[in-house]
């Protein structure tokens, strides 16, 4: 089974988010980078299927040269091949990203049995790329998937997702595009042999052409956070009455 998993290099944000002075991008100078959690689960799902059916998993990303590091992280998890669609630093929108992926796949007919995407990127949350790729290739597409079962003959799959407290089930022929959500599986930790293999692996590189899209970013703005203020109740024994009143207000006194 030939499986393609598309991932995206996103900032590893653990603190306050800052935008650049021109308001066009998130300032990532002090951030590390990773792949979106949904996409890490997509890689794990692809590796499990390849282990069951044989074949290989190709991991593809579009981004700057440094995005090769994220591809190597995914190769360490068990993927067999890494493909970097190298950009010149300009941001590709969802239309251009989908077009670059379709161009990398080939002449409009998928040579893959299954194309896996994360349901949405952790930074932009566009929810579009997988759907656009499926439309361009004329493939069936299901999104938001939390369970995926491929038939023994590899010709079809059953995908399940949760929606408003119910479960939706889709029976789809393969090849198909499936966007998965975090929680479909528990990604493995990379082994030492996997890390060594990924370090030595050759990353295939292509350079898709950038083109503008109909939507244009005017300005990014960080929403104001909730202000927190500490109140000193008092010092020593003088603070006891205020403390008792506060506990009574919270309803913890019987």
């Amino acid at each position: 089974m030939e499986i393609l998993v598309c991932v995206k290099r996103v900032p590893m944000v653990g603190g306050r988010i800052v935008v650049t002075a021109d308001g066009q991008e998130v300032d990532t100078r002090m951030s590390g980078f990773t792949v979106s959690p949904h996409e890490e689960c997509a890689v794990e799902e692809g590796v499990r299927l390849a282990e069951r059916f044989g074949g290989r998993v190709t991991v593809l990303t579009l981004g700057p040269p440094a995005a090769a590091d994220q591809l190597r992280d995914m190769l360490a998890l068990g993927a067999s091949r890494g493909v970097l669609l190298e950009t010149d630093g300009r941001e590709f929108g969802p239309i251009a990203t989908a077009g670059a992926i379709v161009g990398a796949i080939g002449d409009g007919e998928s040579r893959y049995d299954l194309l896996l995407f994360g349901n949405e990127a952790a930074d932009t949350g566009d929810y579009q790329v997988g759907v656009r790729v499926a439309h361009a290739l004329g493939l069936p597409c299901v999104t938001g998937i939390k369970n995926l079962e491929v038939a023994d003959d590899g010709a079809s799959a059953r995908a399940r997702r949760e929606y408003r407290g119910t479960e939706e089930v889709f029976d789809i022929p393969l090849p198909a595009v499936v966007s998965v959500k975090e929680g479909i599986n528990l990604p493995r930790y990379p082994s030492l042999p996997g890390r060594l293999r990924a370090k030595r692996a050759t990353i295939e590189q292509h350079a898709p052409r950038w083109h503008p899209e109909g939507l244009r970013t005017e300005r990014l703005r960080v929403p104001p956070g909730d202000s927190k203020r500490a109140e000193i109740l008092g010092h020593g024994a003088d603070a006891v009455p205020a403390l008792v009143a506060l506990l009574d207000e919270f309803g913890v006194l019987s």
Side-chain angles (χ1 to χ4, degrees), residues 41-237:
C41 288
V43 172
E44 173 66 25
E45 195 70 14
V47 170
R48 292 185 185 187
L49 289 171
E51 290 172 345
R52 175 185 169 193
F53 291 98
R56 64 176 181 173
V57 176
T58 296
V59 181
L60 178 149
T61 193
L62 182 144
D69 293 340
Q70 281 65 55
L71 288 178
R72 294 190 189 279
D73 290 342
M74 298 302 101
L75 292 174
L77 295 179
S80 306
R81 174 173 169 250
V83 178
L84 172 62
L85 306 182
E86 187 177 326
T87 68
D88 59 2
R90 285 179 290 185
E91 183 71 20
F92 277 52
I95 298 174
T97 299
I101 293 171
V102 171
I105 289 174
D107 58 4
E109 294 185 6
S110 171
R111 65 174 182 269
Y112 296 100
D113 301 295
L114 181 64
L115 287 76
L116 293 172
F117 290 77
N119 201 56
E120 76 271 4
D123 52 354
T124 55
D126 291 317
Y127 298 85
Q128 296 184 41
V129 175
V131 177
R132 290 184 180 278
V133 169
H135 178 74
L137 295 175
L139 296 177
C141 177
V142 287
T143 62
I145 299 305
K146 294 291 288 286
N147 180 273
L148 181 64
E149 302 171 6
V150 176
D152 291 336
D153 60 3
S156 63
R158 173 166 290 183
R160 305 173 189 269
R161 71 181 179 192
E162 299 170 2
Y163 181 72
R164 293 186 177 180
T166 63
E167 184 181 64
E168 296 181 335
V169 181
F170 302 89
D171 289 319
I172 53 175
L174 297 182
V177 173
V178 178
S179 294
V180 306
K181 296 188 72 173
E182 185 179 10
I184 189 174
N185 55 47
L186 182 62
R188 69 194 69 189
Y189 288 101
S191 64
L192 179 57
R195 289 186 182 275
L196 293 175
R197 184 179 64 252
K199 187 176 181 179
R200 295 191 300 265
T202 299
I203 303 296
E204 298 179 28
Q205 293 179 278
H206 306 277
R209 189 192 317 178
W210 180 88
H211 62 83
E213 300 189 357
L215 297 178
R216 183 181 64 190
T217 301
E218 290 292 336
R219 189 172 183 84
L220 297 178
R221 177 178 59 85
V222 179
D226 296 331
S227 60
K228 297 181 180 180
R229 184 178 59 184
E231 180 181 352
I232 305 300
L233 298 178
H235 298 278

Side-chain angles (χ1 to χ4, degrees), residues 15-37:
R16 182 170 175 262
I17 296 175
V18 178
V19 299
T20 55
D22 60 4
Q24 294 298 301
E25 297 178 343
V26 175
D27 190 341
T28 59
R29 289 176 297 175
M30 302 301 292
S31 300
F33 288 88
T34 184
V35 301
S36 298

